[in-house]
Amino acid sequence: MPAPIHARSSTRVDANDLRHAFVSLLHSWWMPTPRCRRWLDNPFYRSYGVLTMCRMRYTLQYGVIVSKAMTARWAQAALDARWTPLIEAALAWSNDNVPDLGETPGFIDDTRQASER
């Protein structure tokens, strides 16, 4: 697994508190299917969801928060290669470029499963 890429911070938050908060957020906000699916009808939120899952997985692994762009690059190297095109598409999203992000619910579910390990 690639080395962590976190930045320095003057404010320290306990890593386990961060992990607990992220798991709670994952299960309360991202997992209730009707609410989550309704938001995911919007391509922006699919992109946001993919990048947020990258951040959550990084935080679960290392106990720190870094930028979504940094965690997306980490996820492309560290996670199953099947997610690489989805992460690339999420990074490429803009108002002028709306890529296919149809695998977003699967990535969210994979993140939930990872949070239970």
Side-chain angles (χ1 to χ4, degrees):
M1 188 162 290
I5 51 174
H6 32 267
R8 295 180 186 255
S9 171
S10 60
T11 304
R12 298 281 182 206
V13 177
D14 181 72
N16 287 327
D17 288 345
L18 279 175
R19 289 181 183 106
H20 178 73
F22 271 54
V23 168
S24 177
L25 181 63
L26 177 63
H27 289 268
S28 66
W29 176 254
W30 289 98
M31 295 318 299
T33 303
R35 179 196 294 173
C36 183
R37 301 285 191 245
R38 185 174 61 243
W39 286 100
L40 293 177
D41 287 342
N42 180 316
F44 166 79
Y45 283 106
R46 286 193 297 270
S47 175
Y48 174 80
V50 169
L51 299 178
T52 298
M53 293 306 110
C54 291
R55 180 182 270 174
M56 286 187 167
R57 290 179 87 141
Y58 187 92
T59 300
L60 290 171
Q61 179 74 31
Y62 297 107
V64 295
I65 299 174
V66 297
S67 76
K68 288 179 182 172
M70 290 175 70
T71 60
R73 288 191 298 275
W74 167 83
Q76 288 176 311
L79 303 180
D80 190 308
R82 72 181 180 183
W83 301 121
T84 299
L86 180 67
I87 296 166
E88 287 175 6
L91 286 167
W93 185 92
S94 72
N95 285 328
D96 299 322
N97 178 32
V98 181
D100 179 19
L101 294 162
E103 293 295 320
T104 302
F107 190 52
I108 293 169
D109 189 54
D110 192 65
T111 300
R112 180 195 53 79
Q113 291 175 30
S115 76
E116 294 172 351
R117 292 183 214 130

